[in-house]
Amino acid sequence: MLIRTATPEDWPAIWPFLHRIVAAGETYTYPRDLDEDRARDIWMLEPPSRTVVAADADGTVLGSAKMNPNHMGPGAHIASASFMVAPEHAGRGVGRALGEHVLEWARSEGYRGMQFNAVVESNTRAVALWRSLGFEVVGTVPEAFEHPAKGFVGLHIMHRYL
């Protein structure tokens, strides 16, 4: 698996799985009817932030991540990131590879820590992955996410030092 900087030419491969994941409404706080133009603006970040894709040997995009400062000004020393893996490629280590890549990027850029602001507590696979990569739940906002099947569930704030 190759992880590389995303280019505008990658967007047609990212949009179908990003759209499917967002429309399902189970893991992201984005509007379920997010349109393509707004999604591209949200996901395809410009430097000093970064968007990457994970691709297999034949160039198929398996997933993507975006990374950026969590806040501006005096909070800009903490990074944040978001991840999406094409559902048909789940279980192949794509999320872990992207997570490890993002952590290395944040270290190399001089960030002191990484914070995820809104990990849906019912997304147990993601919570377990982030815990295995050294993140801790530092707080949970109760009933902050309206899951389409489970109703109101919490949003974890997860952090790790770099």
Side-chain angles (χ1 to χ4, degrees):
M1 178 180 336
L2 170 69
I3 297 177
R4 60 172 175 74
T5 299
T7 67
E9 292 75 27
D10 291 314
W11 180 250
I14 296 169
W15 169 241
F17 65 82
L18 187 147
H19 177 62
R20 197 168 2 145
I21 291 166
V22 170
E26 297 176 347
T27 56
Y28 274 86
T29 60
Y30 300 148
R32 291 177 72 178
D33 62 353
L34 184 67
D35 68 57
E36 184 174 1
D37 290 337
R38 181 71 179 120
R40 185 184 308 107
D41 290 344
I42 290 169
W43 200 260
M44 300 296 284
L45 302 181
E46 298 292 327
S49 299
R50 186 168 182 229
T51 301
V52 297
V53 294
D56 66 13
D58 71 2
T60 300
V61 173
L62 310 172
S64 182
K66 66 177 185 131
M67 54 214 88
N68 49 273
N70 193 44
H71 292 289
M72 298 181 286
H77 60 282
I78 303 297
S80 190
S82 298
F83 305 83
M84 292 209 190
V85 175
E88 62 272 20
H89 299 296
R92 295 178 50 188
V94 178
R96 176 171 298 281
L98 287 167
E100 291 170 350
H101 180 86
V102 164
L103 287 167
E104 184 52 41
W105 170 84
R107 279 187 208 96
S108 71
E109 293 294 312
Y111 288 97
R112 294 177 49 98
M114 182 167 282
Q115 177 178 320
F116 300 150
N117 300 314
V119 181
V120 178
E121 72 179 340
S122 60
N123 188 356
T124 56
R125 286 180 58 157
V127 173
L129 173 59
W130 305 139
R131 285 184 188 275
S132 77
L133 290 174
F135 286 84
E136 296 179 24
V137 174
V138 296
T140 302
V141 183
E143 298 186 357
F145 185 85
E146 189 175 2
H147 190 283
K150 299 177 186 214
F152 292 101
V153 299
L155 283 177
H156 291 321
I157 301 165
M158 300 186 79
H159 173 268
R160 71 157 285 170
Y161 288 103
L162 298 173

PDB file of all heavy atoms in Angstrom, residues 77-78 103 106-107 111-115 133-136 138 158-162:
ATOM      1  N   HIS A  77      -0.553  24.133  17.912  1.00  0.00           N
ATOM      2  CA  HIS A  77       0.496  23.124  18.120  1.00  0.00           C
ATOM      3  C   HIS A  77      -0.080  21.716  18.304  1.00  0.00           C
ATOM      4  O   HIS A  77       0.659  20.755  18.457  1.00  0.00           O
ATOM      5  CB  HIS A  77       1.361  23.497  19.329  1.00  0.00           C
ATOM      6  CG  HIS A  77       0.582  23.600  20.599  1.00  0.00           C
ATOM      7  ND1 HIS A  77      -0.190  24.698  20.895  1.00  0.00           N
ATOM      8  CD2 HIS A  77       0.445  22.747  21.625  1.00  0.00           C
ATOM      9  CE1 HIS A  77      -0.779  24.506  22.061  1.00  0.00           C
ATOM     10  NE2 HIS A  77      -0.412  23.322  22.518  1.00  0.00           N
ATOM     11  N   ILE A  78      -1.412  21.593  18.267  1.00  0.00           N
ATOM     12  CA  ILE A  78      -2.085  20.298  18.348  1.00  0.00           C
ATOM     13  C   ILE A  78      -2.705  20.012  16.974  1.00  0.00           C
ATOM     14  O   ILE A  78      -3.445  20.839  16.437  1.00  0.00           O
ATOM     15  CB  ILE A  78      -3.187  20.281  19.434  1.00  0.00           C
ATOM     16  CG1 ILE A  78      -2.615  20.646  20.806  1.00  0.00           C
ATOM     17  CG2 ILE A  78      -3.898  18.927  19.453  1.00  0.00           C
ATOM     18  CD1 ILE A  78      -1.567  19.677  21.343  1.00  0.00           C
ATOM     19  N   LEU A 103       0.179  10.280  12.124  1.00  0.00           N
ATOM     20  CA  LEU A 103       0.956  10.530  13.344  1.00  0.00           C
ATOM     21  C   LEU A 103       2.399  10.899  13.002  1.00  0.00           C
ATOM     22  O   LEU A 103       2.965  11.828  13.605  1.00  0.00           O
ATOM     23  CB  LEU A 103       0.912   9.311  14.268  1.00  0.00           C
ATOM     24  CG  LEU A 103      -0.418   9.095  14.982  1.00  0.00           C
ATOM     25  CD1 LEU A 103      -0.462   7.711  15.606  1.00  0.00           C
ATOM     26  CD2 LEU A 103      -0.657  10.183  16.022  1.00  0.00           C
ATOM     27  N   ALA A 106       2.440  14.469  11.684  1.00  0.00           N
ATOM     28  CA  ALA A 106       2.284  15.447  12.760  1.00  0.00           C
ATOM     29  C   ALA A 106       3.587  15.614  13.545  1.00  0.00           C
ATOM     30  O   ALA A 106       3.985  16.735  13.879  1.00  0.00           O
ATOM     31  CB  ALA A 106       1.137  15.041  13.680  1.00  0.00           C
ATOM     32  N   ARG A 107       4.255  14.509  13.843  1.00  0.00           N
ATOM     33  CA  ARG A 107       5.550  14.584  14.539  1.00  0.00           C
ATOM     34  C   ARG A 107       6.556  15.378  13.715  1.00  0.00           C
ATOM     35  O   ARG A 107       7.243  16.252  14.223  1.00  0.00           O
ATOM     36  CB  ARG A 107       6.107  13.179  14.792  1.00  0.00           C
ATOM     37  CG  ARG A 107       5.540  12.492  15.983  1.00  0.00           C
ATOM     38  CD  ARG A 107       6.299  11.167  16.249  1.00  0.00           C
ATOM     39  NE  ARG A 107       5.406  10.252  16.902  1.00  0.00           N
ATOM     40  CZ  ARG A 107       4.693   9.304  16.306  1.00  0.00           C
ATOM     41  NH1 ARG A 107       4.796   9.087  15.016  1.00  0.00           N
ATOM     42  NH2 ARG A 107       3.884   8.531  17.003  1.00  0.00           N
ATOM     43  N   TYR A 111       4.177  19.166  15.670  1.00  0.00           N
ATOM     44  CA  TYR A 111       3.015  19.205  16.568  1.00  0.00           C
ATOM     45  C   TYR A 111       3.362  18.497  17.878  1.00  0.00           C
ATOM     46  O   TYR A 111       4.141  17.556  17.898  1.00  0.00           O
ATOM     47  CB  TYR A 111       1.809  18.526  15.919  1.00  0.00           C
ATOM     48  CG  TYR A 111       1.199  19.318  14.791  1.00  0.00           C
ATOM     49  CD1 TYR A 111       1.529  19.039  13.467  1.00  0.00           C
ATOM     50  CD2 TYR A 111       0.297  20.341  15.048  1.00  0.00           C
ATOM     51  CE1 TYR A 111       0.975  19.764  12.425  1.00  0.00           C
ATOM     52  CE2 TYR A 111      -0.265  21.066  14.000  1.00  0.00           C
ATOM     53  CZ  TYR A 111       0.072  20.779  12.699  1.00  0.00           C
ATOM     54  OH  TYR A 111      -0.477  21.494  11.672  1.00  0.00           O
ATOM     55  N   ARG A 112       2.744  18.929  18.962  1.00  0.00           N
ATOM     56  CA  ARG A 112       2.993  18.339  20.282  1.00  0.00           C
ATOM     57  C   ARG A 112       2.004  17.231  20.617  1.00  0.00           C
ATOM     58  O   ARG A 112       2.236  16.439  21.514  1.00  0.00           O
ATOM     59  CB  ARG A 112       2.944  19.425  21.348  1.00  0.00           C
ATOM     60  CG  ARG A 112       4.070  20.424  21.199  1.00  0.00           C
ATOM     61  CD  ARG A 112       3.976  21.538  22.218  1.00  0.00           C
ATOM     62  NE  ARG A 112       3.774  21.042  23.568  1.00  0.00           N
ATOM     63  CZ  ARG A 112       4.736  20.882  24.486  1.00  0.00           C
ATOM     64  NH1 ARG A 112       5.976  21.177  24.181  1.00  0.00           N
ATOM     65  NH2 ARG A 112       4.450  20.448  25.680  1.00  0.00           N
ATOM     66  N   GLY A 113       0.885  17.201  19.947  1.00  0.00           N
ATOM     67  CA  GLY A 113      -0.130  16.190  20.189  1.00  0.00           C
ATOM     68  C   GLY A 113      -1.104  16.153  19.036  1.00  0.00           C
ATOM     69  O   GLY A 113      -1.034  16.960  18.108  1.00  0.00           O
ATOM     70  N   MET A 114      -2.019  15.186  19.108  1.00  0.00           N
ATOM     71  CA  MET A 114      -3.084  15.083  18.118  1.00  0.00           C
ATOM     72  C   MET A 114      -4.394  14.876  18.856  1.00  0.00           C
ATOM     73  O   MET A 114      -4.451  14.135  19.839  1.00  0.00           O
ATOM     74  CB  MET A 114      -2.835  13.939  17.139  1.00  0.00           C
ATOM     75  CG  MET A 114      -3.923  13.848  16.070  1.00  0.00           C
ATOM     76  SD  MET A 114      -3.490  12.769  14.694  1.00  0.00           S
ATOM     77  CE  MET A 114      -2.402  13.853  13.783  1.00  0.00           C
ATOM     78  N   GLN A 115      -5.427  15.557  18.386  1.00  0.00           N
ATOM     79  CA  GLN A 115      -6.750  15.480  18.998  1.00  0.00           C
ATOM     80  C   GLN A 115      -7.794  15.214  17.926  1.00  0.00           C
ATOM     81  O   GLN A 115      -7.793  15.857  16.887  1.00  0.00           O
ATOM     82  CB  GLN A 115      -7.067  16.807  19.698  1.00  0.00           C
ATOM     83  CG  GLN A 115      -8.449  16.860  20.306  1.00  0.00           C
ATOM     84  CD  GLN A 115      -8.678  18.186  21.014  1.00  0.00           C
ATOM     85  OE1 GLN A 115      -7.792  18.701  21.665  1.00  0.00           O
ATOM     86  NE2 GLN A 115      -9.881  18.726  20.875  1.00  0.00           N
ATOM     87  N   LEU A 133      -3.449   2.933  18.808  1.00  0.00           N
ATOM     88  CA  LEU A 133      -2.404   3.841  18.344  1.00  0.00           C
ATOM     89  C   LEU A 133      -2.033   4.873  19.413  1.00  0.00           C
ATOM     90  O   LEU A 133      -1.351   5.855  19.117  1.00  0.00           O
ATOM     91  CB  LEU A 133      -2.820   4.529  17.046  1.00  0.00           C
ATOM     92  CG  LEU A 133      -2.862   3.613  15.820  1.00  0.00           C
ATOM     93  CD1 LEU A 133      -3.421   4.343  14.615  1.00  0.00           C
ATOM     94  CD2 LEU A 133      -1.492   3.032  15.512  1.00  0.00           C
ATOM     95  N   GLY A 134      -2.490   4.641  20.647  1.00  0.00           N
ATOM     96  CA  GLY A 134      -2.063   5.480  21.760  1.00  0.00           C
ATOM     97  C   GLY A 134      -2.987   6.616  22.145  1.00  0.00           C
ATOM     98  O   GLY A 134      -2.651   7.413  23.025  1.00  0.00           O
ATOM     99  N   PHE A 135      -4.144   6.707  21.530  1.00  0.00           N
ATOM    100  CA  PHE A 135      -5.101   7.763  21.883  1.00  0.00           C
ATOM    101  C   PHE A 135      -5.886   7.365  23.119  1.00  0.00           C
ATOM    102  O   PHE A 135      -6.149   6.183  23.343  1.00  0.00           O
ATOM    103  CB  PHE A 135      -6.073   8.023  20.728  1.00  0.00           C
ATOM    104  CG  PHE A 135      -5.470   8.766  19.577  1.00  0.00           C
ATOM    105  CD1 PHE A 135      -4.754   8.095  18.601  1.00  0.00           C
ATOM    106  CD2 PHE A 135      -5.601  10.138  19.473  1.00  0.00           C
ATOM    107  CE1 PHE A 135      -4.187   8.760  17.531  1.00  0.00           C
ATOM    108  CE2 PHE A 135      -5.036  10.829  18.406  1.00  0.00           C
ATOM    109  CZ  PHE A 135      -4.326  10.131  17.436  1.00  0.00           C
ATOM    110  N   GLU A 136      -6.275   8.359  23.884  1.00  0.00           N
ATOM    111  CA  GLU A 136      -7.143   8.159  25.040  1.00  0.00           C
ATOM    112  C   GLU A 136      -8.393   9.007  24.868  1.00  0.00           C
ATOM    113  O   GLU A 136      -8.330  10.099  24.288  1.00  0.00           O
ATOM    114  CB  GLU A 136      -6.444   8.610  26.322  1.00  0.00           C
ATOM    115  CG  GLU A 136      -5.216   7.806  26.671  1.00  0.00           C
ATOM    116  CD  GLU A 136      -4.561   8.326  27.945  1.00  0.00           C
ATOM    117  OE1 GLU A 136      -5.257   8.971  28.772  1.00  0.00           O
ATOM    118  OE2 GLU A 136      -3.360   8.098  28.099  1.00  0.00           O
ATOM    119  N   VAL A 138     -10.476  11.593  26.305  1.00  0.00           N
ATOM    120  CA  VAL A 138     -10.298  12.586  27.367  1.00  0.00           C
ATOM    121  C   VAL A 138     -11.632  13.190  27.796  1.00  0.00           C
ATOM    122  O   VAL A 138     -11.700  13.907  28.790  1.00  0.00           O
ATOM    123  CB  VAL A 138      -9.293  13.692  26.973  1.00  0.00           C
ATOM    124  CG1 VAL A 138      -7.903  13.099  26.773  1.00  0.00           C
ATOM    125  CG2 VAL A 138      -9.743  14.448  25.738  1.00  0.00           C
ATOM    126  N   MET A 158     -10.712  12.505  21.607  1.00  0.00           N
ATOM    127  CA  MET A 158      -9.576  11.603  21.824  1.00  0.00           C
ATOM    128  C   MET A 158      -8.274  12.366  21.600  1.00  0.00           C
ATOM    129  O   MET A 158      -8.198  13.230  20.719  1.00  0.00           O
ATOM    130  CB  MET A 158      -9.675  10.386  20.916  1.00  0.00           C
ATOM    131  CG  MET A 158     -10.938   9.570  21.157  1.00  0.00           C
ATOM    132  SD  MET A 158     -11.017   8.013  20.225  1.00  0.00           S
ATOM    133  CE  MET A 158      -9.932   6.985  21.235  1.00  0.00           C
ATOM    134  N   HIS A 159      -7.264  12.048  22.389  1.00  0.00           N
ATOM    135  CA  HIS A 159      -5.987  12.768  22.332  1.00  0.00           C
ATOM    136  C   HIS A 159      -4.824  11.815  22.559  1.00  0.00           C
ATOM    137  O   HIS A 159      -4.972  10.799  23.240  1.00  0.00           O
ATOM    138  CB  HIS A 159      -5.974  13.837  23.430  1.00  0.00           C
ATOM    139  CG  HIS A 159      -4.653  14.520  23.576  1.00  0.00           C
ATOM    140  ND1 HIS A 159      -3.680  14.092  24.454  1.00  0.00           N
ATOM    141  CD2 HIS A 159      -4.145  15.598  22.955  1.00  0.00           C
ATOM    142  CE1 HIS A 159      -2.624  14.888  24.353  1.00  0.00           C
ATOM    143  NE2 HIS A 159      -2.871  15.818  23.452  1.00  0.00           N
ATOM    144  N   ARG A 160      -3.699  12.190  21.988  1.00  0.00           N
ATOM    145  CA  ARG A 160      -2.440  11.535  22.347  1.00  0.00           C
ATOM    146  C   ARG A 160      -1.313  12.547  22.170  1.00  0.00           C
ATOM    147  O   ARG A 160      -1.370  13.420  21.312  1.00  0.00           O
ATOM    148  CB  ARG A 160      -2.179  10.275  21.550  1.00  0.00           C
ATOM    149  CG  ARG A 160      -1.837  10.485  20.100  1.00  0.00           C
ATOM    150  CD  ARG A 160      -1.081   9.335  19.497  1.00  0.00           C
ATOM    151  NE  ARG A 160       0.291   9.373  19.964  1.00  0.00           N
ATOM    152  CZ  ARG A 160       1.167   8.416  19.788  1.00  0.00           C
ATOM    153  NH1 ARG A 160       0.816   7.295  19.182  1.00  0.00           N
ATOM    154  NH2 ARG A 160       2.397   8.532  20.208  1.00  0.00           N
ATOM    155  N   TYR A 161      -0.317  12.412  23.032  1.00  0.00           N
ATOM    156  CA  TYR A 161       0.896  13.215  22.903  1.00  0.00           C
ATOM    157  C   TYR A 161       1.742  12.638  21.777  1.00  0.00           C
ATOM    158  O   TYR A 161       1.723  11.436  21.516  1.00  0.00           O
ATOM    159  CB  TYR A 161       1.701  13.205  24.203  1.00  0.00           C
ATOM    160  CG  TYR A 161       1.071  14.009  25.308  1.00  0.00           C
ATOM    161  CD1 TYR A 161       0.406  13.381  26.339  1.00  0.00           C
ATOM    162  CD2 TYR A 161       1.138  15.398  25.283  1.00  0.00           C
ATOM    163  CE1 TYR A 161      -0.179  14.110  27.358  1.00  0.00           C
ATOM    164  CE2 TYR A 161       0.554  16.139  26.301  1.00  0.00           C
ATOM    165  CZ  TYR A 161      -0.101  15.498  27.343  1.00  0.00           C
ATOM    166  OH  TYR A 161      -0.680  16.233  28.330  1.00  0.00           O
ATOM    167  N   LEU A 162       2.533  13.496  21.166  1.00  0.00           N
ATOM    168  CA  LEU A 162       3.455  13.033  20.130  1.00  0.00           C
ATOM    169  C   LEU A 162       4.868  13.060  20.662  1.00  0.00           C
ATOM    170  O   LEU A 162       5.773  12.551  20.137  1.00  0.00           O
ATOM    171  CB  LEU A 162       3.333  13.899  18.869  1.00  0.00           C
ATOM    172  CG  LEU A 162       1.945  13.855  18.205  1.00  0.00           C
ATOM    173  CD1 LEU A 162       1.870  14.853  17.080  1.00  0.00           C
ATOM    174  CD2 LEU A 162       1.656  12.455  17.687  1.00  0.00           C
TER     175      LEU A 162
END
